[in-house]
Amino acid sequence: MLDKLPQSKRLAIAIATALIFFVAYDHFYLSKIRAAMEANATAAQIAQKNTAKSAPQTSAAGVSAQGANLNTANSISAPLVRVVGKEANFTIDGLGRISSYALNDAKFRNENGDAINLIDPKSHSKPLEMRFEDAALNAMAFDTPYSASSNELDVRNGEASVTLSQSLGAVSINKILTFYPNGSYKLDLKLGGNARYFISPGSRPNVEVDSYTVHGVIVGKPGEAGISDKIASFFTGSQAISESVEIFKDGDVDKNERISGANIAASSDRYYTTLFYGESLNATVTDADKISQVFIGSDGDLSLTGYIGAKDHATLSSINPALTHIIEYGWFTFIARPMFKFLNWLHGYIGNWGWSIVVLTLIIRLILFPLSYKGMLSMNKLKDLAPKMKELQEKYKDDKQKLQMHMMDLYKKNGANPMGGCLPILLQIPVFFAIYRVLLNAIELKGAEWALWIHDLSLKDPYYILPITMGILMFLQQKITPTTFTDPMQEKMMKFLPLIFTVFFVMFPAGLTLYWTVNNFCSIIQQYVINKAFARHKQAQIAEKKS
């Protein structure tokens, strides 16, 4: 049946089918896989807790395959240093690791109203955890507590430092830590003696794990500024950032990977990260129960910067602009990154993220108007030709070659382009997916209010007003949009699209649904104007022929 349709119809159906498949696959199938992975990881951790009594073993990459015994004595796992900060309150345990990290901002609360802890107690590695290549030394390190120069720190109004010390016979360790109010810290590690070791920024936070975004490890290296950074620097007036990143998703690390000359080693979920930043770092990425892990290797003194917290663009940029590259936007990063910077720029003037999204949508519609106008105009022409096209299909139904020849003649005589309605849609798809990823990954929308009933643009609309409005607008848009379907069954299938999209967007963040709702509203206005203009054009042609 499809092979009898004109190329424009087949392409339109293919685009719609691909879009539905992409969203459905992402929403339903991947979420089940993620849930299964989390369940498997939890089961593996429970099994490890029951059996982890043997001495740590060393993997082929040199990173100890086992860290702290989960049955470590309470005196070692108990808090050694308590830190009160501006962004978070956290603790350092007897093994010299950051063992808890509770964010202070009211918007970082769970459903029970408790502060979010970014350090999962069951995580395979914690920030500042050290592992030694030598198995005997590694076992000693996890049985020997650190001492601290201070047990209480206050970094709410300025920086504060503490020195953590550990003696392992011929090897001694001094971690000189300086914490800053913005959530970053500086590590100066002094090693006494000879030993190859690995230090971790910690396993990724386990707060926002979903099927939509990337979770795992991101390793960055200095490189030539990409097109996204050049575009963003053009609009914002900032310097283009030179950076290249490699992503190691959870479950994708089959063997240990070594990256030399790195400057970023980050573990992150959708909204939060724990990372190291430095110069010429030797990173090793490994796997633990399908959760990607990253370690920085050295055999001497080491200096680097760390950060734990939200992937907030302004905060990361204040530490180092290169760190903004850990905010991952997927395939269309080259469009998404400058788009977010422009949205951020708009927010600086408007002061409300919801209205900034509305204005951004209107600007995008204006930029894409020439493409949309051509596509809509072409669809109007094709609609007028639909009866003649149907006649040709009936007349030459047994001769496809003649049918194609006469169809092309029909298009040529009437100035219609069979690809005119589909090509503009194809060109707009990257923009849609780019803004989809921007609004999905922007933690700036967390706790951001818009309208009377939207109190958090990063969460779904609690009353489903936006997705239902979006579905209604999509239905109205279909009603006034010219179509060239000759098969009633295909036409009925397309009419179900508003309902399908409404179901998908019910669970999407309100910020993303707001964009799509405003976009549909603009499409209706635009289609109405073009329909009126085309009707006047047709009347003028008829009057001209009569005269």
Side-chain angles (χ1 to χ4, degrees):
M1 186 182 293
L2 290 177
D3 59 350
K4 295 181 180 179
L5 292 174
Q7 185 178 4
S8 61
K9 296 179 187 177
R10 296 200 301 268
L11 185 56
I13 294 171
I15 294 170
T17 304
L19 187 60
I20 293 171
F21 174 79
F22 175 84
V23 179
Y25 178 83
D26 190 62
H27 184 73
F28 294 107
Y29 180 68
L30 290 184
S31 61
K32 292 181 180 178
I33 291 179
R34 180 63 60 192
M37 286 175 58
E38 291 299 316
N40 290 338
T42 302
Q45 288 167 350
I46 293 172
Q48 184 183 16
K49 183 175 182 178
N50 294 330
T51 60
K53 296 182 183 284
S54 59
Q57 297 177 348
T58 303
S59 68
V63 182
S64 173
Q66 183 178 309
N69 189 317
L70 295 181
N71 295 320
T72 302
N74 292 332
S75 60
I76 294 181
S77 59
L80 175 65
V81 181
R82 298 182 184 275
V83 184
V84 178
K86 181 181 178 182
E87 297 295 328
N89 297 331
F90 54 100
T91 59
I92 299 172
D93 66 12
L95 292 176
R97 312 170 303 178
I98 298 176
S99 53
S100 69
Y101 199 90
L103 297 175
N104 291 332
D105 197 311
K107 70 181 182 180
F108 301 122
R109 302 275 174 176
N110 59 25
E111 58 275 10
N112 298 322
D114 300 325
I116 292 174
N117 180 15
L118 297 187
I119 309 299
D120 188 342
K122 297 178 181 179
S123 61
H124 293 276
S125 61
K126 292 182 171 61
L128 301 176
E129 180 172 308
M130 290 183 66
R131 301 185 185 183
F132 289 88
E133 189 172 61
D134 182 87
L137 185 61
N138 193 64
M140 186 187 302
F142 282 103
D143 283 333
T144 306
Y146 278 77
S147 61
S149 60
S150 176
N151 300 116
E152 300 282 346
L153 291 180
D154 189 334
V155 291
R156 287 174 291 186
N157 300 312
E159 64 186 63
S161 299
V162 64
T163 300
L164 308 176
S165 303
Q166 185 184 47
S167 178
L168 303 175
V171 176
S172 63
I173 302 160
N174 284 291
K175 296 178 183 176
I176 304 168
L177 294 164
T178 304
F179 296 99
Y180 301 94
N182 64 359
S184 66
Y185 61 89
K186 190 175 187 306
L187 166 67
D188 286 310
L189 193 153
K190 306 296 183 183
L191 183 72
N194 297 317
R196 178 72 177 169
Y197 65 88
F198 300 86
I199 187 167
S200 172
S203 294
R204 62 155 173 78
N206 196 26
V207 181
E208 291 287 344
V209 179
D210 52 40
S211 61
Y212 310 124
T213 51
V214 171
H215 321 100
V217 166
I218 297 177
V219 178
K221 295 180 69 173
E224 183 181 356
I227 185 171
S228 62
D229 294 305
K230 292 178 181 178
I231 295 173
S233 66
F234 175 79
F235 284 110
T236 61
S238 59
Q239 184 177 358
I241 305 169
S242 302
E243 197 68 34
S244 64
V245 297
E246 191 170 356
I247 300 171
F248 301 88
K249 298 179 183 179
D250 288 345
D252 285 356
V253 181
D254 297 325
K255 60 179 182 178
N256 294 332
E257 303 278 354
R258 290 188 177 187
I259 304 97
S260 59
N263 63 348
I264 300 172
S267 302
S268 63
D269 63 9
R270 175 180 173 185
Y271 283 148
Y272 308 98
T273 187
T274 173
L275 62 82
F276 284 154
Y277 179 82
E279 296 182 2
S280 299
L281 303 177
N282 294 315
T284 298
V285 180
T286 186
D287 175 89
D289 293 331
K290 302 300 181 182
I291 306 295
S292 298
Q293 311 285 315
V294 63
F295 295 85
I296 300 302
S298 179
D299 53 10
D301 295 348
L302 180 67
S303 294
L304 47 76
T305 298
Y307 171 76
I308 305 174
K311 291 195 287 188
D312 179 86
H313 192 278
T315 302
L316 293 173
S317 184
S318 68
I319 300 170
N320 191 295
L323 295 181
T324 59
H325 280 262
I326 69 168
I327 305 173
E328 201 275 326
Y329 296 114
W331 296 340
F332 300 108
T333 294
F334 69 99
I335 301 175
R337 195 175 298 281
M339 190 176 290
F340 171 79
K341 290 195 174 183
F342 184 61
L343 177 64
N344 196 33
W345 180 81
L346 286 174
H347 177 260
Y349 284 92
I350 298 172
N352 180 280
W353 284 106
W355 290 115
S356 299
I357 291 171
V358 172
V359 173
L360 175 67
T361 308
L362 296 175
I363 292 173
I364 290 174
R365 293 296 306 193
L366 285 173
I367 293 173
L368 296 178
F369 178 77
L371 281 176
S372 302
Y373 177 80
K374 288 182 180 180
M376 291 176 174
L377 199 61
S378 179
M379 291 301 292
N380 274 287
K381 289 181 179 179
L382 291 173
K383 182 184 179 182
D384 271 3
L385 296 177
K388 294 181 180 179
M389 291 162 59
K390 191 172 183 179
E391 288 178 10
L392 290 173
Q393 288 171 352
E394 290 293 330
K395 187 175 181 179
Y396 300 104
K397 60 182 178 181
D398 297 325
D399 192 336
K400 293 181 181 179
Q401 188 172 356
K402 281 190 176 182
L403 174 62
Q404 290 295 328
M405 183 180 67
H406 283 84
M407 292 280 277
M408 294 308 296
D409 286 341
L410 182 65
Y411 294 146
K412 188 175 181 181
K413 287 177 183 178
N414 292 273
N417 183 356
M419 295 293 293
C422 300
L423 188 58
I425 296 174
L426 280 175
L427 294 175
Q428 292 178 58
I429 284 177
V431 176
F432 165 70
F433 282 118
I435 198 166
Y436 165 83
R437 293 307 295 264
V438 166
L439 299 179
L440 202 61
N441 285 276
I443 195 171
E444 286 79 1
L445 300 186
K446 193 167 186 65
E449 295 187 356
W450 181 79
L452 295 175
W453 75 98
I454 301 293
H455 301 295
D456 192 333
L457 286 167
S458 70
L459 301 177
K460 66 179 182 179
D461 184 334
Y463 302 107
Y464 309 115
I465 295 173
L466 281 176
I468 291 173
T469 304
M470 183 212 68
I472 293 172
L473 291 174
M474 196 171 183
F475 174 76
L476 294 175
Q477 181 187 351
Q478 276 194 349
K479 281 291 186 182
I480 66 172
T481 300
T483 59
T484 59
F485 290 111
T486 56
D487 187 337
M489 183 58 68
Q490 292 166 8
E491 188 174 6
K492 287 180 181 179
M493 287 175 59
M494 294 302 290
K495 285 182 179 179
F496 277 102
L497 275 180
L499 179 60
I500 294 171
F501 270 74
T502 300
V503 173
F504 288 156
F505 276 80
V506 158
M507 301 304 296
F508 280 179
L512 179 61
T513 312
L514 173 63
Y515 160 74
W516 200 240
T517 303
V518 176
N519 186 70
N520 284 351
F521 181 73
C522 293
S523 295
I524 290 175
I525 296 176
Q526 187 173 294
Q527 187 67 63
Y528 178 79
V529 171
I530 289 174
N531 287 352
K532 288 291 186 182
F534 188 77
R536 288 194 298 268
H537 178 69
K538 274 187 66 178
Q539 290 175 355
Q541 284 183 327
I542 293 171
E544 186 179 348
K545 286 181 181 179
K546 288 181 178 179
S547 63

